[in-house]
Structures are given as structure tokens and as C-alpha cells.
Amino acid sequence: MAGQAPLPSDPFPHNQVPPLEDYNLYAADPVLQQAVRRAGADWHEPALMRQGAEYGAAATLQAAEDANRHPPELHTHSRTGERINLVRFHPAWHTMMAMARRNGIANLPFFDDRPSAWAARAASHMLHCQTESGSSCPTTMTHAAIPVLRRNPALYAVLEPLLASTGHDPADRPPAGKRSVTVGMGMTERQGGSDLRSNLTEAVPAGSGEWGDEVRITGHKWFFSAPMSDGHLVLARCGDDGLGCYFMPRWQPDGRRNAIHIQRLKDKVGNRSNSSAEVEFHGAWAVRVGEPGRGIAHLIDMASLTRLDCALSSAGFIRQALVQALHHARHRRAFGRRLVGQPLMAAVLADLAVESEAATLLAMDLAARHPGTDPLDRAWCRLLVPAAKFWICKRAVALSAEAMEVLGGNGYVEGGPLARLYREAPVNSIWEGSGNVMCLDVLRALQRHPAESAAVLQQLAQAVAGAPAVAATCGALQQLLGSPPAEGLEPMARLLTQRLVLLAQAALLLQHGRPATAAAFIDSRFGTEWGAVAGTFCQPAGRSALLEEAVNL
Ligand SMILES: Cc1cc2nc3c(=O)[nH]c(=O)nc-3n(C[C@H](O)[C@H](O)[C@H](O)COP(=O)(O)OP(=O)(O)OC[C@H]3O[C@@H](n4cnc5c(N)ncnc54)[C@H](O)[C@@H]3O)c2cc1C
């Protein structure tokens, strides 16, 4: 085609697109930058600038690819038949784990007194997940385990310096000889992951030691991610006390390997760099953390942090889907123009940009409200963390597929970032409480805390008062909650949660977003024409500005 013939020196002839590498993920993201500043975490910006460059460097992108192309291997026994339960990783996995640790993602807010440390760490987490998300699993679990471990002060005193460390130490030996530790969680059993009360794994009292009540645990866990962690917080049933929370280290205090038998590693759709195991406990040593019989409550405290991380991570996925799609469309030509200039493609990309801004605003807003000393912040998080986990994680599944299609056939080919993103996206929606469970959580929060929930809705109503379509939805939601239908709200929990998230995103966009995004979001998400696929909105006026400003490359 005239005007498209490659120059002799063109390194990417035949209308192919140069790989996106050696760019700065943070510098390219004006929405994330503003969210960080709004949260008062400007002090973290030099680190985020450094991290943004590190996560976009060609060498890091290659490490992320390698860590997933060479998945972990299980070695149950030594050459001489001893049970070793060892998982071996490609060196690139350790590169990614070390990066996450160095960047504070495993611990920052717990060892930095500034409330804005939560938003600072959330921004780092969003950047990390855009490049390699498997390593975020042990990292986020370690982070979320810290407040639970503090419930056993004697144990925590020993672990604290190892949790506070920013070094990655993968050595398989007792914590006493290590620079840092990682901690996982073990709740899900064969018979149920959502319904944790069905847990059968049994803890038998085994006396009291320097860290408190010791037990021997027998049973199994059907999903037990990061089995090479130095310890797991495990849910087990202890006689009449019911389900308790126990710290089960990989090595017993007497220096012997604990009786945790890794049966096999899951062969997962995505998340392939990370190991997720099926394990059996054969009288494994553990020590109680928290109150007897309060195991589910303690582990749900941990899950509320990992759920927020799922929302942040999926906001990162949507952002990365947008970045890759826009990069491609800015270079690739079809029918005499760059794809980005084709009106229909521009509508698809603008929809991705709108969704990305809304997801980032909501996820970062929730992180900034932590640790939640203000009652309204606490009520906001109680309702909107599960709602955001439900919605943003589901949107990431749909939009990673949409971004893949922007790249045409190249999007569907392994080796590029979109194939991996597409396979990674659903896990955030499933683990730590699947979609329905999150919506039922929202409902429970509405019903158990009616006054606080009404205050959140009132705040939303004020924020959207100037936008009639949004205000009408808010009014309808308030009315529905005030007089629920005879069959109850449970069958409507998804619809209700969707409305709540869209309201919150509209409110945040009106307060802090770019006017073009707020207008496009409201016209589409609160209009009658918006469809289930991206690109069904018509906002010709704002579209080109939206796309120019979305990704600063
Ligand atoms: C990659 C990966 C890693 C994981 N790592 C860990 C880990 O480290 N530790 C750990 O403990 N677990 C882990 N899990 C398990 C995960 O948390 C569970 O799979 C999840 O909680 C769902 O539990 P389940 O698989 O038993 O499904 P079920 O509980 O059987 O749920 C199946 C479906 O039914 C829905 N459902 C359940 N109850 C209701 C209801 N009342 N009303 C309507 N719908 C309902 C759910 O939303 C879900 O869609 C991991 C899972 C994956 C995929």
C-alpha cells in the first residue's frame, strides 16, 4: 500500500509493531501518579519512578517471561528416598521475588508509620503485577499474614525482623538461619473452599511451648500456594474449640522438616510461575495464633487484605491491557491509517482507557483509606473491597481478551505479554473468595451494618448529585435496600454489587478523574446503550483526548 513500504533501515518491516520495552510503567501512568499524590504518598514517587523503569526494562520483561515458561518442579523425595517436599524454580522466579521484596510489597505499611504507606505500597504492587503476577501471590500472602501473626506476640517477636526484611531469601532451612521469610495460607480443602466451616483437618493439642499452645495437625489442603514458604497460617478443627488458626512452619523448632507432604503441584491455566500445591499433613507441628475457635475470623482478616490486593492487581492488568493495546494501535496500520485513527478502534481503546482509569481510582482509593481509623472509611472498605474484587477482577478477564484482539493474530501467540495476561486474569476472580461469595459479602455488610452502609450511600449520593443519571441509580439503590423484595436480596446480589461499584467509580471520577473520562463513563455505564463488549459507546468529542493522555509513552 502506498506510503507503507518499509524504509531499508526500518527495523520492523512489514507493518509489524516494535516490542514495548525499556519504558517506565509509572511515568507512563498519569492516573496512578495522581492517585499516589492525592493519598499523600509523594515521598514514594522517586522509588516508584525507579520501580516503573525496572518493571518496564527489557531484562525484567524477559525474566517475567522465563519464570512462566519454566514452571516450578516438585521433588517429593531425595535420591536416597527421604521425603524432602522440595519445589525448584527457574532463577527468573527468584529475580521477580527479589524485586517484589526489595520494592516493599511484602511489608511496607507495617514497618512505616505513615498512613499513606498503604497507598505507596499499593502503587508498587500495581506496577509489579503488570509485569509478573505469579510472584505477587507469596508476596501478598506474606504482607497479609503480618497482622494475623501479631496475634501471637511471642511468635511474632521471632518472625518480625524476618518479615520486615526487604531481602529475598529462598533457602530451605529453619528461619533462625535466614535473612527473611515468606508466609502463605492454607484454608481450602477438597470438600469446600468457600464454605470453610466444612474444614475437616484436625488439630490435636500437644502441650505448650515458648510460642504458646502447640498442636499436631492431620489432614490435607486442596490448594496450598507457595508451599516453599517458611510457614503457613492453617485452618484446622481443634476438638470442642472448633476451627482455629495455626502457624505451621516448614521446619519444626527442633530443626527437623515438618510433616507437610506435597502430593503434587496444580497444573494451572495461568499463574504458572507460582507453585500451588495439594498437601497432606501427617501430624505436622503447629502453634495457635489468635483465639481458639476464631480461626475463620482471623484468616478472613488476612483475606480482606489479599482481596484488596486482587482488586489492585486486576486494576494493574486492565492498565497493562490498555498500554499494550494502545502501543500496538499507535504503530500498526490498516486500510491506510494507523489503527488508533480508525474511529471504531478508537471507540474500543477509549472504553479500555475509561475502564482502566475507573479501576485504578477505586482500587487506589480503597488502599488509601487503609488502615481505616475513620468509621466512614471502615464502612466504605467493608462494602467496597469485596465489591471491587468482584467487579475489577471480572472486568480484567473481559478486557484482557479485548486487548488481545486489538493485536489481532499476534495477540493470540505465546511470547507476547497479552497471552500471559489473558491466562492470568481469571485467578484473581476465583481465589480469596469467588465472585458470588464477594457479592454475598457485600450483602452481609449492608445487612449487618445498616447505619454505616446508609452513610456510605449518602456520601455517594452527595458526590453524584450533579449527574442526574447516576443520582437516579443511587436513589433506586437506596430505595431497594430500604424495602427489599419479598424473596430477599440474595438473588440480586450481583446486580446490587455492580450498581454499587459503578456508583463508587462514577463518584470518584467526578471528584478526581479527567472530565472526559467522567463524562464517557457516565454516558456509557449509566446510559441505555452500553453493551457487554468494549467500544459500544459514542463519545467522539472526548475520545481523542482520552487516548492521547492515557498512556504517556
Ligand atoms: C491458583 C489458585 C491458588 C490458590 N491458592 C490457595 C491458597 O494458597 N490457600 C487456600 O486456602 N486456597 C487457595 N486457593 C483456593 C481458592 O481460594 C478456592 O478455590 C476458592 O475460594 C473457591 O473455593 P472452591 O474451589 O472450593 O469452590 P466452591 O467453594 O465449591 O465454589 C464454587 C463456585 O460456587 C460459588 N458459590 C459458593 N458458595 C455460594 C453461595 N452460597 N451462593 C452462590 N454461589 C456460591 C463460588 O463463588 C464459586 O463460583 C487457590 C485457588 C487457585 C485457583
Side-chain angles (χ1 to χ4, degrees), residues 99 284 487 496:
M99 212 173 274
E487 70 272 24
L496 195 146

Side-chain angles (χ1 to χ4, degrees), residues 242-265:
L243 289 165
C245 172
Y246 300 92
F247 177 71
M248 183 188 284
R250 195 171 153 77
W251 292 81
Q252 295 185 168
D254 64 8
R256 286 184 298 152
R257 276 199 177 85
N258 210 351
I260 306 165
H261 292 188
I262 305 181
Q263 298 299 94
R264 63 173 170 175
L265 298 185

Side-chain angles (χ1 to χ4, degrees), residues 120-183:
R121 180 257 173 205
S124 297
H125 176 61
M126 270 189 71
L127 296 178
H128 187 92
C129 291
Q130 288 184 58
T131 294
E132 208 292 304
S133 188
S135 46
S136 77
C137 169
T139 308
T140 183
M141 289 198 293
T142 301
H143 174 256
I146 293 173
V148 183
L149 288 166
R150 283 178 172 167
R151 292 180 176 276
N152 181 331
L155 171 68
Y156 186 72
V158 175
L159 294 180
E160 183 175 21
L162 303 170
L163 289 164
S165 165
T166 50
H168 168 58
D169 185 345
D172 183 24
R173 57 170 172 256
K178 293 191 62 168
R179 230 165 19 119
S180 68
V181 290
T182 51
V183 179

Side-chain angles (χ1 to χ4, degrees), residues 141 185-188 192-195 223-225 268 271 276 427 430-437 440:
M141 289 198 293
M185 59 155 75
M187 299 192 287
T188 307
S194 307
D195 184 3
F223 278 91
F224 194 75
S225 284
K268 294 175 286 183
N271 196 253
S276 300
V427 72
I430 294 173
W431 90 302
E432 296 304 82
S434 309
N436 286 353
V437 171
L440 293 173

Side-chain angles (χ1 to χ4, degrees), residues 160-445:
E160 183 175 21
L162 303 170
L163 289 164
S165 165
T166 50
H168 168 58
D169 185 345
D172 183 24
R173 57 170 172 256
K178 293 191 62 168
R179 230 165 19 119
S180 68
V181 290
T182 51
V183 179
M185 59 155 75
M187 299 192 287
T188 307
E189 297 183 7
R190 271 188 199 89
Q191 66 281 1
S194 307
D195 184 3
L196 293 173
R197 285 164 306 180
S198 69
N199 263 221
L200 296 172
T201 290
E202 200 182 358
V204 175
S208 191
E210 58 174 318
W211 297 338
D213 291 346
E214 299 177 1
V215 291
R216 290 280 171 183
I217 296 186
T218 301
H220 82 283
K221 293 293 164 187
W222 185 235
F223 278 91
F224 194 75
S225 284
M228 290 302 290
S229 297
D230 298 277
H232 280 74
L233 287 166
V234 167
L235 194 62
R237 194 172 290 284
C238 188
D240 292 341
D241 286 345
L243 289 165
C245 172
Y246 300 92
F247 177 71
M248 183 188 284
R250 195 171 153 77
W251 292 81
Q252 295 185 168
D254 64 8
R256 286 184 298 152
R257 276 199 177 85
N258 210 351
I260 306 165
H261 292 188
I262 305 181
Q263 298 299 94
R264 63 173 170 175
L265 298 185
K266 300 285 191 187
D267 186 5
K268 294 175 286 183
V269 171
N271 196 253
R272 296 183 75 82
S273 61
N274 178 39
S275 59
S276 300
E278 292 165 20
V279 291
E280 286 180 359
F281 306 136
H282 293 264
W285 185 94
V287 62
R288 181 165 54 77
V289 171
E291 295 169 48
R294 298 270 303 152
I296 293 184
H298 297 330
L299 283 164
I300 292 299
D301 283 349
M302 178 170 176
S304 71
L305 293 184
T306 50
R307 285 169 181 175
L308 172 58
D309 272 1
C310 287
L312 286 159
S313 157
S314 289
F317 292 172
I318 296 173
R319 169 71 193 171
Q320 188 55 209
L322 167 69
V323 169
Q324 295 292 337
L326 202 48
H327 171 72
H328 184 87
R330 282 172 175 170
H331 287 82
R332 178 82 167 176
R333 292 176 296 257
F335 300 98
R337 286 198 220 181
R338 293 194 190 275
L339 281 176
V340 73
Q342 295 288 3
L344 184 52
M345 180 58 91
V348 173
L349 294 167
D351 214 348
L352 276 173
V354 165
E355 194 72 32
S356 174
E357 184 164 342
T360 299
L361 276 185
L362 178 57
M364 284 297 293
D365 174 85
L366 289 166
R369 287 175 193 259
H370 265 271
T373 43
D374 175 59
L376 195 59
D377 282 347
R378 275 211 302 278
W380 177 272
C381 288
R382 197 183 296 123
L383 279 178
L384 279 153
V385 167
K389 176 173 185 304
F390 165 68
W391 184 253
I392 297 176
C393 297
K394 286 224 178 289
R395 296 297 289 152
V397 176
L399 296 178
S400 56
E402 198 62 70
M404 180 187 265
E405 193 167 319
V406 172
L407 270 67
N410 284 357
Y412 195 63
V413 172
E414 290 293 349
L418 277 172
R420 180 149 49 84
L421 193 66
Y422 175 75
R423 283 186 277 101
E424 191 72 32
V427 72
N428 280 347
S429 193
I430 294 173
W431 90 302
E432 296 304 82
S434 309
N436 286 353
V437 171
M438 290 299 90
C439 295
L440 293 173
D441 245 36
V442 172
L443 205 55
R444 201 170 302 119

